[in-house]
Amino acid sequence: MSSKRKLFFLLIFISSTFYIFNFLKIRITTTRSPSMRLAKIPRTPKYSPFVPHKLTNQATFQEEEPFTPKELDFLSNIITRNQNRNLLFFGLNPQFLPLAEATTGGSVIFLEDDAERIQRFRLRTTYRNVTVHMVRYNEVAGGAYELLRHGREEPDCGRKTSKFFGETRCRLALSCLPQEVYRRKWDVVVVDGPRGNWPDAPGRMAAIYTAAVIARMGSGTDVVVHDVDRMIEKWFSWEFLCHDNLVSAKGKLWNFRINGTFQSDGFCPVKKVQIM
């Protein structure tokens, strides 16, 4: 075989090998690329039905949606009906501070679970008649469904045994708050904390329940709940503040008027929504 003939076959072999290699490379890349792209998309976890419908990721957990001007006017009208009022806030929202300042003769208490926010408040602002207390919540938003069942079945959570002094088996009772919170008669209670916008974050179940019990210790209390477009706030308000007591609403705010009494068959006179 001549050298030219051998060189011809060698070139054909090299070209064929190069062609086959590139073909296999393209096939491998095409086969792997979809799974690689899918691997970057996080799977959506399954939560209980009571998870708020607006979930944020952990990176933006500290962000919160501000009150609209109409919502602030609505809340201001409730508070300023009588300037000498006692105001209790679950959640230290800076937008509430001017409203608290307008209450000249009453007592104003904020209950906040964010230590950093409390520190910023103490360093940057001075408001008379305003006290801020640190509070810790043990129940997370993702467990709200099971906690509602507990609230219905646990005798210590019932109307006759609701208490905050001493031992209690009710997981909804905030029994470690300052004593003045339980002893004072509150004219307005605003539930805007904890944030409750992530399944692993503290939810507002205990805050709403505690507001309902505290309101019934007074002679007439307005309880205002924020973010009622979220399932936790909506269901726990229906359960313990009662739809019959809902007197007004604006935006994401519900205003309940509690007259200081319990119904004979529980917190609310209406039939409870069935949970499975």
Side-chain angles (χ1 to χ4, degrees), residues 50 143-162 169-173 205 209 231-232 234-242 265-268 270-276:
F50 284 88
Y145 186 92
E146 186 274 333
L147 197 61
L148 179 59
R149 183 186 297 275
H150 166 81
R152 292 178 175 179
E153 297 177 352
E154 172 54 54
D156 277 8
C157 297
R159 65 176 184 87
K160 294 182 179 180
T161 54
S162 298
R169 292 188 299 271
C170 182
R171 290 160 52 193
L172 285 167
M205 302 81 68
Y209 171 85
M231 191 62 74
I232 289 176
K234 183 179 299 182
W235 279 63
F236 276 77
S237 294
W238 283 341
E239 184 77 16
F240 298 110
L241 294 171
C242 312
D265 57 346
F267 282 84
C268 303
V270 297
K271 183 178 179 180
K272 295 181 175 61
V273 178
Q274 183 178 2
I275 59 175
M276 304 301 294

